[in-house]
Amino acid sequence: DAGVTQSPTHLIKTRGQQVTLRCSPKSGHDTVSWYQQALGQGPQFIFQYYEEEERQRGNFPDRFSGHQFPNYSSELNVNALLLGDSALYLCASSFLSSGNTIYFGEGSWLTVV
Amino acid sequence: AQSVAQPEDQVNVAEGNPLTVKCTYSVSGNPYLFWYVQYPNRGLQFLLKYITGDNLVKGSYGFEAEFNKSQTSFHLKKPSALVSDSALYFCVPHSGNTPLVFGKGTRLSVIA
């Protein structure tokens, strides 16, 4: 059973560019969340998708957007990249129910230069 | 409101000694508490969780945690530390469908 998979694992972008990160949830999971982890910090919640809709959103600007597909996979898009967007982006999946275990992928390392 | 505190930024322990990573919580109602581990340059791995029932929870890699309601604690423990246990550990509360809220975690260093 594959866990949460993310791609790409590493990428370098230039300021002002746009990036798309992808996530496939653990088999059977219907809910995907995205987190940003800056160096030396804990992960910060970006948003959560369920039934192809954004259900909750953290304190991130509109430059951060996402999508969930019918097969529950998800994308995170970041426009107009800033140097401060350099971070590890983590995807997490679960069933939408209280107390269910939330599993994380290995993340996508984004460097903005 | 759900919150936890990990009072130690860094814990050092000798290989073979028992280890404890501390976590105290402040949650309303019945708390769900998770422990995650992050190895260097890796994603987060689930270790264990407390939802209800037995106060002693056993998890992956030989770790366990004891839910103590009177002390509002959920400390992570392992009887004998390995160098490979060196990592960043997060105690995380969870309630309903709210997102996980992470602190800075505790960095564990196991010295050979």
mmCIF file of all heavy atoms in Angstrom, chain A residues 62-113:
data_model
loop_
_atom_site.group_PDB
_atom_site.id
_atom_site.type_symbol
_atom_site.label_atom_id
_atom_site.label_comp_id
_atom_site.label_asym_id
_atom_site.label_seq_id
_atom_site.Cartn_x
_atom_site.Cartn_y
_atom_site.Cartn_z
ATOM 1 N N ASP A 62 -3.420 34.796 -1.326
ATOM 2 C CA ASP A 62 -4.108 34.190 -2.471
ATOM 3 C C ASP A 62 -3.157 33.657 -3.526
ATOM 4 O O ASP A 62 -3.591 32.941 -4.442
ATOM 5 C CB ASP A 62 -5.041 35.220 -3.104
ATOM 6 C CG ASP A 62 -6.204 35.559 -2.190
ATOM 7 O OD1 ASP A 62 -6.430 34.789 -1.228
ATOM 8 O OD2 ASP A 62 -6.868 36.579 -2.424
ATOM 9 N N ARG A 63 -1.890 34.014 -3.415
ATOM 10 C CA ARG A 63 -0.898 33.460 -4.359
ATOM 11 C C ARG A 63 -0.831 31.929 -4.230
ATOM 12 O O ARG A 63 -0.386 31.248 -5.154
ATOM 13 C CB ARG A 63 0.494 34.028 -4.073
ATOM 14 C CG ARG A 63 0.637 35.513 -4.228
ATOM 15 C CD ARG A 63 2.087 35.940 -4.099
ATOM 16 N NE ARG A 63 2.661 35.668 -2.785
ATOM 17 C CZ ARG A 63 3.574 34.723 -2.553
ATOM 18 N NH1 ARG A 63 4.018 33.951 -3.529
ATOM 19 N NH2 ARG A 63 4.052 34.571 -1.327
ATOM 20 N N PHE A 64 -1.258 31.468 -3.094
ATOM 21 C CA PHE A 64 -1.286 30.019 -2.851
ATOM 22 C C PHE A 64 -2.685 29.515 -3.192
ATOM 23 O O PHE A 64 -3.687 29.968 -2.606
ATOM 24 C CB PHE A 64 -0.970 29.700 -1.390
ATOM 25 C CG PHE A 64 0.458 29.946 -1.016
ATOM 26 C CD1 PHE A 64 0.934 31.234 -0.800
ATOM 27 C CD2 PHE A 64 1.340 28.888 -0.870
ATOM 28 C CE1 PHE A 64 2.261 31.463 -0.457
ATOM 29 C CE2 PHE A 64 2.659 29.095 -0.515
ATOM 30 C CZ PHE A 64 3.117 30.385 -0.311
ATOM 31 N N SER A 65 -2.751 28.600 -4.119
ATOM 32 C CA SER A 65 -4.032 28.034 -4.509
ATOM 33 C C SER A 65 -3.870 26.537 -4.708
ATOM 34 O O SER A 65 -2.750 26.025 -4.816
ATOM 35 C CB SER A 65 -4.573 28.686 -5.781
ATOM 36 O OG SER A 65 -3.700 28.427 -6.860
ATOM 37 N N GLY A 66 -5.000 25.859 -4.774
ATOM 38 C CA GLY A 66 -4.902 24.416 -4.906
ATOM 39 C C GLY A 66 -6.063 23.841 -5.669
ATOM 40 O O GLY A 66 -6.969 24.563 -6.125
ATOM 41 N N HIS A 67 -5.990 22.540 -5.783
ATOM 42 C CA HIS A 67 -7.042 21.834 -6.494
ATOM 43 C C HIS A 67 -7.043 20.395 -6.017
ATOM 44 O O HIS A 67 -5.978 19.839 -5.704
ATOM 45 C CB HIS A 67 -6.773 21.887 -8.002
ATOM 46 C CG HIS A 67 -7.899 21.381 -8.837
ATOM 47 N ND1 HIS A 67 -9.026 22.108 -9.091
ATOM 48 C CD2 HIS A 67 -8.073 20.182 -9.449
ATOM 49 C CE1 HIS A 67 -9.843 21.389 -9.847
ATOM 50 N NE2 HIS A 67 -9.298 20.227 -10.077
ATOM 51 N N GLN A 68 -8.225 19.812 -5.970
ATOM 52 C CA GLN A 68 -8.318 18.370 -5.716
ATOM 53 C C GLN A 68 -9.087 17.734 -6.858
ATOM 54 O O GLN A 68 -10.121 18.257 -7.291
ATOM 55 C CB GLN A 68 -9.010 18.060 -4.387
ATOM 56 C CG GLN A 68 -8.984 16.571 -4.056
ATOM 57 C CD GLN A 68 -9.652 16.233 -2.736
ATOM 58 O OE1 GLN A 68 -10.626 16.854 -2.346
ATOM 59 N NE2 GLN A 68 -9.116 15.231 -2.036
ATOM 60 N N PHE A 69 -8.608 16.640 -7.342
ATOM 61 C CA PHE A 69 -9.190 15.954 -8.484
ATOM 62 C C PHE A 69 -10.139 14.846 -8.020
ATOM 63 O O PHE A 69 -10.103 14.449 -6.853
ATOM 64 C CB PHE A 69 -8.078 15.391 -9.366
ATOM 65 C CG PHE A 69 -7.160 16.456 -9.894
ATOM 66 C CD1 PHE A 69 -6.000 16.788 -9.224
ATOM 67 C CD2 PHE A 69 -7.478 17.151 -11.058
ATOM 68 C CE1 PHE A 69 -5.165 17.792 -9.700
ATOM 69 C CE2 PHE A 69 -6.656 18.151 -11.538
ATOM 70 C CZ PHE A 69 -5.496 18.473 -10.848
ATOM 71 N N PRO A 70 -10.961 14.331 -8.934
ATOM 72 C CA PRO A 70 -11.915 13.280 -8.538
ATOM 73 C C PRO A 70 -11.257 12.039 -7.933
ATOM 74 O O PRO A 70 -11.885 11.324 -7.159
ATOM 75 C CB PRO A 70 -12.641 12.948 -9.848
ATOM 76 C CG PRO A 70 -12.573 14.211 -10.634
ATOM 77 C CD PRO A 70 -11.234 14.815 -10.298
ATOM 78 N N ASN A 71 -10.005 11.779 -8.276
ATOM 79 C CA ASN A 71 -9.319 10.622 -7.688
ATOM 80 C C ASN A 71 -8.646 10.975 -6.361
ATOM 81 O O ASN A 71 -7.852 10.197 -5.848
ATOM 82 C CB ASN A 71 -8.291 10.049 -8.667
ATOM 83 C CG ASN A 71 -7.137 11.011 -8.916
ATOM 84 O OD1 ASN A 71 -7.158 12.151 -8.467
ATOM 85 N ND2 ASN A 71 -6.140 10.540 -9.643
ATOM 86 N N TYR A 72 -8.968 12.137 -5.817
ATOM 87 C CA TYR A 72 -8.500 12.658 -4.521
ATOM 88 C C TYR A 72 -7.081 13.218 -4.560
ATOM 89 O O TYR A 72 -6.662 13.823 -3.565
ATOM 90 C CB TYR A 72 -8.584 11.611 -3.399
ATOM 91 C CG TYR A 72 -9.951 10.994 -3.235
ATOM 92 C CD1 TYR A 72 -10.141 9.616 -3.370
ATOM 93 C CD2 TYR A 72 -11.057 11.785 -2.971
ATOM 94 C CE1 TYR A 72 -11.403 9.054 -3.240
ATOM 95 C CE2 TYR A 72 -12.319 11.221 -2.837
ATOM 96 C CZ TYR A 72 -12.475 9.853 -2.972
ATOM 97 O OH TYR A 72 -13.717 9.300 -2.846
ATOM 98 N N SER A 73 -6.373 13.070 -5.652
ATOM 99 C CA SER A 73 -5.052 13.679 -5.717
ATOM 100 C C SER A 73 -5.202 15.196 -5.701
ATOM 101 O O SER A 73 -6.298 15.736 -5.921
ATOM 102 C CB SER A 73 -4.297 13.216 -6.960
ATOM 103 O OG SER A 73 -4.925 13.702 -8.127
ATOM 104 N N SER A 74 -4.091 15.863 -5.463
ATOM 105 C CA SER A 74 -4.188 17.308 -5.264
ATOM 106 C C SER A 74 -2.969 18.009 -5.829
ATOM 107 O O SER A 74 -1.902 17.412 -5.985
ATOM 108 C CB SER A 74 -4.306 17.608 -3.762
ATOM 109 O OG SER A 74 -4.322 19.006 -3.504
ATOM 110 N N GLU A 75 -3.136 19.265 -6.136
ATOM 111 C CA GLU A 75 -2.042 20.142 -6.549
ATOM 112 C C GLU A 75 -2.027 21.390 -5.677
ATOM 113 O O GLU A 75 -3.078 21.874 -5.251
ATOM 114 C CB GLU A 75 -2.217 20.584 -8.013
ATOM 115 C CG GLU A 75 -1.967 19.506 -9.021
ATOM 116 C CD GLU A 75 -2.120 20.020 -10.448
ATOM 117 O OE1 GLU A 75 -2.594 21.161 -10.639
ATOM 118 O OE2 GLU A 75 -1.766 19.256 -11.372
ATOM 119 N N LEU A 76 -0.821 21.869 -5.452
ATOM 120 C CA LEU A 76 -0.614 23.158 -4.803
ATOM 121 C C LEU A 76 0.068 24.058 -5.817
ATOM 122 O O LEU A 76 1.101 23.684 -6.387
ATOM 123 C CB LEU A 76 0.255 22.992 -3.559
ATOM 124 C CG LEU A 76 0.894 24.257 -2.973
ATOM 125 C CD1 LEU A 76 -0.182 25.198 -2.449
ATOM 126 C CD2 LEU A 76 1.871 23.902 -1.856
ATOM 127 N N ASN A 77 -0.494 25.221 -6.057
ATOM 128 C CA ASN A 77 0.088 26.191 -6.970
ATOM 129 C C ASN A 77 0.495 27.438 -6.186
ATOM 130 O O ASN A 77 -0.260 27.907 -5.330
ATOM 131 C CB ASN A 77 -0.929 26.596 -8.035
ATOM 132 C CG ASN A 77 -1.386 25.404 -8.857
ATOM 133 O OD1 ASN A 77 -0.609 24.823 -9.607
ATOM 134 N ND2 ASN A 77 -2.639 25.023 -8.704
ATOM 135 N N VAL A 78 1.663 27.924 -6.502
ATOM 136 C CA VAL A 78 2.107 29.175 -5.903
ATOM 137 C C VAL A 78 2.526 30.102 -7.037
ATOM 138 O O VAL A 78 3.402 29.757 -7.850
ATOM 139 C CB VAL A 78 3.281 28.992 -4.924
ATOM 140 C CG1 VAL A 78 3.584 30.312 -4.216
ATOM 141 C CG2 VAL A 78 2.982 27.896 -3.907
ATOM 142 N N ASN A 79 1.892 31.268 -7.104
ATOM 143 C CA ASN A 79 2.205 32.262 -8.131
ATOM 144 C C ASN A 79 3.133 33.340 -7.591
ATOM 145 O O ASN A 79 3.248 33.526 -6.370
ATOM 146 C CB ASN A 79 0.910 32.926 -8.613
ATOM 147 C CG ASN A 79 -0.001 31.950 -9.319
ATOM 148 O OD1 ASN A 79 0.458 31.075 -10.047
ATOM 149 N ND2 ASN A 79 -1.295 32.093 -9.088
ATOM 150 N N ALA A 80 3.769 34.045 -8.497
ATOM 151 C CA ALA A 80 4.610 35.198 -8.132
ATOM 152 C C ALA A 80 5.523 34.863 -6.967
ATOM 153 O O ALA A 80 5.496 35.501 -5.914
ATOM 154 C CB ALA A 80 3.718 36.400 -7.808
ATOM 155 N N LEU A 81 6.338 33.857 -7.158
ATOM 156 C CA LEU A 81 7.179 33.344 -6.087
ATOM 157 C C LEU A 81 8.072 34.423 -5.479
ATOM 158 O O LEU A 81 8.640 35.269 -6.186
ATOM 159 C CB LEU A 81 8.039 32.194 -6.599
ATOM 160 C CG LEU A 81 7.306 30.863 -6.810
ATOM 161 C CD1 LEU A 81 8.175 29.905 -7.617
ATOM 162 C CD2 LEU A 81 6.916 30.257 -5.475
ATOM 163 N N LEU A 82 8.177 34.345 -4.147
ATOM 164 C CA LEU A 82 9.056 35.208 -3.375
ATOM 165 C C LEU A 82 10.167 34.363 -2.772
ATOM 166 O O LEU A 82 10.008 33.152 -2.588
ATOM 167 C CB LEU A 82 8.274 35.898 -2.262
ATOM 168 C CG LEU A 82 7.053 36.728 -2.673
ATOM 169 C CD1 LEU A 82 6.305 37.206 -1.437
ATOM 170 C CD2 LEU A 82 7.465 37.891 -3.546
ATOM 171 N N LEU A 83 11.250 35.022 -2.410
ATOM 172 C CA LEU A 83 12.333 34.285 -1.773
ATOM 173 C C LEU A 83 11.845 33.569 -0.518
ATOM 174 O O LEU A 83 12.276 32.450 -0.208
ATOM 175 C CB LEU A 83 13.486 35.226 -1.416
ATOM 176 C CG LEU A 83 14.202 35.905 -2.577
ATOM 177 C CD1 LEU A 83 15.302 36.828 -2.052
ATOM 178 C CD2 LEU A 83 14.788 34.882 -3.547
ATOM 179 N N GLY A 84 10.923 34.207 0.196
ATOM 180 C CA GLY A 84 10.388 33.650 1.434
ATOM 181 C C GLY A 84 9.513 32.431 1.250
ATOM 182 O O GLY A 84 9.121 31.798 2.234
ATOM 183 N N ASP A 85 9.212 32.104 0.008
ATOM 184 C CA ASP A 85 8.430 30.892 -0.251
ATOM 185 C C ASP A 85 9.317 29.650 -0.247
ATOM 186 O O ASP A 85 8.806 28.526 -0.324
ATOM 187 C CB ASP A 85 7.712 30.989 -1.596
ATOM 188 C CG ASP A 85 6.663 32.088 -1.627
ATOM 189 O OD1 ASP A 85 6.082 32.391 -0.556
ATOM 190 O OD2 ASP A 85 6.437 32.648 -2.713
ATOM 191 N N SER A 86 10.600 29.844 -0.155
ATOM 192 C CA SER A 86 11.519 28.709 -0.083
ATOM 193 C C SER A 86 11.228 27.913 1.181
ATOM 194 O O SER A 86 11.290 28.448 2.296
ATOM 195 C CB SER A 86 12.967 29.192 -0.063
ATOM 196 O OG SER A 86 13.301 29.851 -1.260
ATOM 197 N N ALA A 87 10.915 26.648 1.007
ATOM 198 C CA ALA A 87 10.494 25.832 2.150
ATOM 199 C C ALA A 87 10.286 24.402 1.689
ATOM 200 O O ALA A 87 10.358 24.090 0.499
ATOM 201 C CB ALA A 87 9.193 26.366 2.751
ATOM 202 N N LEU A 88 9.996 23.555 2.671
ATOM 203 C CA LEU A 88 9.545 22.192 2.397
ATOM 204 C C LEU A 88 8.018 22.212 2.402
ATOM 205 O O LEU A 88 7.406 22.680 3.365
ATOM 206 C CB LEU A 88 10.057 21.240 3.474
ATOM 207 C CG LEU A 88 9.581 19.788 3.403
ATOM 208 C CD1 LEU A 88 10.103 19.103 2.140
ATOM 209 C CD2 LEU A 88 10.034 19.021 4.648
ATOM 210 N N TYR A 89 7.423 21.737 1.333
ATOM 211 C CA TYR A 89 5.971 21.689 1.231
ATOM 212 C C TYR A 89 5.511 20.250 1.435
ATOM 213 O O TYR A 89 5.901 19.348 0.684
ATOM 214 C CB TYR A 89 5.500 22.256 -0.109
ATOM 215 C CG TYR A 89 5.693 23.742 -0.153
ATOM 216 C CD1 TYR A 89 6.916 24.292 -0.533
ATOM 217 C CD2 TYR A 89 4.673 24.604 0.239
ATOM 218 C CE1 TYR A 89 7.114 25.664 -0.527
ATOM 219 C CE2 TYR A 89 4.861 25.978 0.240
ATOM 220 C CZ TYR A 89 6.081 26.490 -0.135
ATOM 221 O OH TYR A 89 6.277 27.850 -0.125
ATOM 222 N N LEU A 90 4.681 20.088 2.453
ATOM 223 C CA LEU A 90 4.243 18.754 2.853
ATOM 224 C C LEU A 90 2.768 18.550 2.528
ATOM 225 O O LEU A 90 1.947 19.427 2.778
ATOM 226 C CB LEU A 90 4.445 18.561 4.357
ATOM 227 C CG LEU A 90 5.895 18.555 4.835
ATOM 228 C CD1 LEU A 90 5.960 18.800 6.333
ATOM 229 C CD2 LEU A 90 6.564 17.241 4.483
ATOM 230 N N CYS A 91 2.482 17.396 2.001
ATOM 231 C CA CYS A 91 1.108 17.005 1.741
ATOM 232 C C CYS A 91 0.717 15.975 2.794
ATOM 233 O O CYS A 91 1.523 15.095 3.156
ATOM 234 C CB CYS A 91 0.984 16.418 0.343
ATOM 235 S SG CYS A 91 -0.643 15.733 -0.041
ATOM 236 N N ALA A 92 -0.503 16.073 3.296
ATOM 237 C CA ALA A 92 -1.001 15.130 4.289
ATOM 238 C C ALA A 92 -2.354 14.606 3.846
ATOM 239 O O ALA A 92 -3.157 15.355 3.273
ATOM 240 C CB ALA A 92 -1.130 15.809 5.653
ATOM 241 N N SER A 93 -2.605 13.334 4.108
ATOM 242 C CA SER A 93 -3.909 12.785 3.732
ATOM 243 C C SER A 93 -4.520 12.027 4.891
ATOM 244 O O SER A 93 -3.831 11.543 5.796
ATOM 245 C CB SER A 93 -3.790 11.886 2.498
ATOM 246 O OG SER A 93 -3.282 10.596 2.820
ATOM 247 N N SER A 94 -5.841 11.928 4.850
ATOM 248 C CA SER A 94 -6.579 11.235 5.895
ATOM 249 C C SER A 94 -8.004 11.006 5.419
ATOM 250 O O SER A 94 -8.396 11.466 4.344
ATOM 251 C CB SER A 94 -6.603 12.070 7.181
ATOM 252 O OG SER A 94 -7.356 13.258 6.989
ATOM 253 N N PHE A 95 -8.769 10.323 6.243
ATOM 254 C CA PHE A 95 -10.217 10.327 6.091
ATOM 255 C C PHE A 95 -10.745 11.548 6.834
ATOM 256 O O PHE A 95 -10.201 11.924 7.881
ATOM 257 C CB PHE A 95 -10.837 9.069 6.694
ATOM 258 C CG PHE A 95 -10.468 7.812 5.991
ATOM 259 C CD1 PHE A 95 -9.592 6.918 6.589
ATOM 260 C CD2 PHE A 95 -10.982 7.508 4.744
ATOM 261 C CE1 PHE A 95 -9.230 5.740 5.953
ATOM 262 C CE2 PHE A 95 -10.626 6.335 4.098
ATOM 263 C CZ PHE A 95 -9.748 5.460 4.701
ATOM 264 N N LEU A 96 -11.795 12.157 6.306
ATOM 265 C CA LEU A 96 -12.337 13.334 6.970
ATOM 266 C C LEU A 96 -13.172 12.905 8.159
ATOM 267 O O LEU A 96 -14.377 12.796 8.088
ATOM 268 C CB LEU A 96 -13.203 14.153 6.001
ATOM 269 C CG LEU A 96 -13.656 15.497 6.573
ATOM 270 C CD1 LEU A 96 -12.493 16.470 6.630
ATOM 271 C CD2 LEU A 96 -14.776 16.090 5.737
ATOM 272 N N SER A 97 -12.519 12.639 9.256
ATOM 273 C CA SER A 97 -13.234 12.271 10.468
ATOM 274 C C SER A 97 -12.320 12.486 11.646
ATOM 275 O O SER A 97 -11.127 12.217 11.578
ATOM 276 C CB SER A 97 -13.690 10.818 10.405
ATOM 277 O OG SER A 97 -14.388 10.460 11.590
ATOM 278 N N SER A 98 -12.879 12.954 12.712
ATOM 279 C CA SER A 98 -12.077 13.297 13.871
ATOM 280 C C SER A 98 -11.309 12.103 14.405
ATOM 281 O O SER A 98 -11.845 11.005 14.523
ATOM 282 C CB SER A 98 -13.005 13.840 14.958
ATOM 283 O OG SER A 98 -12.272 14.254 16.080
ATOM 284 N N GLY A 99 -10.048 12.318 14.701
ATOM 285 C CA GLY A 99 -9.231 11.285 15.310
ATOM 286 C C GLY A 99 -8.551 10.356 14.352
ATOM 287 O O GLY A 99 -7.704 9.563 14.759
ATOM 288 N N ASN A 100 -8.911 10.431 13.072
ATOM 289 C CA ASN A 100 -8.237 9.560 12.114
ATOM 290 C C ASN A 100 -6.789 9.997 11.931
ATOM 291 O O ASN A 100 -6.475 11.182 11.943
ATOM 292 C CB ASN A 100 -8.951 9.573 10.771
ATOM 293 C CG ASN A 100 -10.197 8.718 10.783
ATOM 294 O OD1 ASN A 100 -10.178 7.582 11.242
ATOM 295 N ND2 ASN A 100 -11.280 9.266 10.297
ATOM 296 N N THR A 101 -5.931 9.015 11.743
ATOM 297 C CA THR A 101 -4.516 9.306 11.587
ATOM 298 C C THR A 101 -4.278 10.087 10.305
ATOM 299 O O THR A 101 -4.848 9.776 9.253
ATOM 300 C CB THR A 101 -3.707 8.018 11.570
ATOM 301 O OG1 THR A 101 -3.926 7.320 12.806
ATOM 302 C CG2 THR A 101 -2.220 8.313 11.432
ATOM 303 N N ILE A 102 -3.466 11.092 10.396
ATOM 304 C CA ILE A 102 -3.088 11.919 9.255
ATOM 305 C C ILE A 102 -1.674 11.536 8.854
ATOM 306 O O ILE A 102 -0.755 11.572 9.677
ATOM 307 C CB ILE A 102 -3.179 13.409 9.626
ATOM 308 C CG1 ILE A 102 -4.621 13.754 10.019
ATOM 309 C CG2 ILE A 102 -2.705 14.284 8.472
ATOM 310 C CD1 ILE A 102 -4.789 15.124 10.635
ATOM 311 N N TYR A 103 -1.517 11.156 7.607
ATOM 312 C CA TYR A 103 -0.226 10.706 7.096
ATOM 313 C C TYR A 103 0.370 11.762 6.175
ATOM 314 O O TYR A 103 -0.343 12.393 5.391
ATOM 315 C CB TYR A 103 -0.384 9.379 6.334
ATOM 316 C CG TYR A 103 -0.770 8.224 7.218
ATOM 317 C CD1 TYR A 103 -2.105 7.885 7.411
ATOM 318 C CD2 TYR A 103 0.201 7.475 7.867
ATOM 319 C CE1 TYR A 103 -2.461 6.826 8.224
ATOM 320 C CE2 TYR A 103 -0.147 6.413 8.681
ATOM 321 C CZ TYR A 103 -1.479 6.099 8.858
ATOM 322 O OH TYR A 103 -1.819 5.047 9.676
ATOM 323 N N PHE A 104 1.685 11.886 6.273
ATOM 324 C CA PHE A 104 2.404 12.885 5.485
ATOM 325 C C PHE A 104 3.274 12.220 4.427
ATOM 326 O O PHE A 104 3.761 11.104 4.610
ATOM 327 C CB PHE A 104 3.304 13.733 6.392
ATOM 328 C CG PHE A 104 2.556 14.734 7.213
ATOM 329 C CD1 PHE A 104 1.920 14.350 8.379
ATOM 330 C CD2 PHE A 104 2.485 16.067 6.820
ATOM 331 C CE1 PHE A 104 1.220 15.273 9.146
ATOM 332 C CE2 PHE A 104 1.794 17.002 7.580
ATOM 333 C CZ PHE A 104 1.164 16.608 8.743
ATOM 334 N N GLY A 105 3.488 12.981 3.358
ATOM 335 C CA GLY A 105 4.442 12.561 2.351
ATOM 336 C C GLY A 105 5.845 13.037 2.709
ATOM 337 O O GLY A 105 6.056 13.673 3.751
ATOM 338 N N GLU A 106 6.793 12.740 1.824
ATOM 339 C CA GLU A 106 8.176 13.131 2.064
ATOM 340 C C GLU A 106 8.430 14.606 1.754
ATOM 341 O O GLU A 106 9.461 15.140 2.112
ATOM 342 C CB GLU A 106 9.115 12.251 1.240
ATOM 343 C CG GLU A 106 9.201 10.821 1.735
ATOM 344 C CD GLU A 106 9.816 10.731 3.113
ATOM 345 O OE1 GLU A 106 10.814 11.435 3.386
ATOM 346 O OE2 GLU A 106 9.288 9.963 3.937
ATOM 347 N N GLY A 107 7.503 15.224 1.086
ATOM 348 C CA GLY A 107 7.618 16.648 0.838
ATOM 349 C C GLY A 107 8.286 17.018 -0.467
ATOM 350 O O GLY A 107 8.939 16.189 -1.111
ATOM 351 N N SER A 108 8.089 18.259 -0.837
ATOM 352 C CA SER A 108 8.748 18.854 -1.999
ATOM 353 C C SER A 108 9.559 20.047 -1.515
ATOM 354 O O SER A 108 9.009 20.958 -0.893
ATOM 355 C CB SER A 108 7.715 19.339 -3.024
ATOM 356 O OG SER A 108 7.003 18.275 -3.593
ATOM 357 N N TRP A 109 10.860 19.984 -1.786
ATOM 358 C CA TRP A 109 11.745 21.066 -1.372
ATOM 359 C C TRP A 109 11.763 22.121 -2.482
ATOM 360 O O TRP A 109 12.219 21.843 -3.589
ATOM 361 C CB TRP A 109 13.157 20.534 -1.144
ATOM 362 C CG TRP A 109 13.308 19.683 0.067
ATOM 363 C CD1 TRP A 109 13.208 18.328 0.133
ATOM 364 C CD2 TRP A 109 13.599 20.124 1.396
ATOM 365 N NE1 TRP A 109 13.407 17.891 1.421
ATOM 366 C CE2 TRP A 109 13.661 18.976 2.222
ATOM 367 C CE3 TRP A 109 13.823 21.382 1.970
ATOM 368 C CZ2 TRP A 109 13.917 19.043 3.591
ATOM 369 C CZ3 TRP A 109 14.081 21.440 3.331
ATOM 370 C CH2 TRP A 109 14.123 20.286 4.125
ATOM 371 N N LEU A 110 11.293 23.318 -2.136
ATOM 372 C CA LEU A 110 11.277 24.419 -3.103
ATOM 373 C C LEU A 110 12.305 25.462 -2.697
ATOM 374 O O LEU A 110 12.301 25.945 -1.564
ATOM 375 C CB LEU A 110 9.896 25.077 -3.148
ATOM 376 C CG LEU A 110 9.788 26.367 -3.959
ATOM 377 C CD1 LEU A 110 10.058 26.098 -5.437
ATOM 378 C CD2 LEU A 110 8.414 27.013 -3.779
ATOM 379 N N THR A 111 13.174 25.794 -3.635
ATOM 380 C CA THR A 111 14.128 26.866 -3.427
ATOM 381 C C THR A 111 13.829 27.952 -4.438
ATOM 382 O O THR A 111 13.774 27.689 -5.646
ATOM 383 C CB THR A 111 15.577 26.385 -3.608
ATOM 384 O OG1 THR A 111 15.836 25.331 -2.670
ATOM 385 C CG2 THR A 111 16.554 27.527 -3.377
ATOM 386 N N VAL A 112 13.635 29.176 -3.959
ATOM 387 C CA VAL A 112 13.384 30.320 -4.832
ATOM 388 C C VAL A 112 14.634 31.198 -4.817
ATOM 389 O O VAL A 112 15.106 31.614 -3.755
ATOM 390 C CB VAL A 112 12.158 31.120 -4.371
ATOM 391 C CG1 VAL A 112 11.897 32.279 -5.336
ATOM 392 C CG2 VAL A 112 10.932 30.220 -4.284
ATOM 393 N N VAL A 113 15.157 31.463 -6.007
ATOM 394 C CA VAL A 113 16.397 32.257 -6.091
ATOM 395 C C VAL A 113 16.151 33.555 -6.838
ATOM 396 O O VAL A 113 15.147 33.708 -7.536
ATOM 397 C CB VAL A 113 17.517 31.441 -6.776
ATOM 398 C CG1 VAL A 113 17.844 30.208 -5.952
ATOM 399 C CG2 VAL A 113 17.109 31.052 -8.197
#
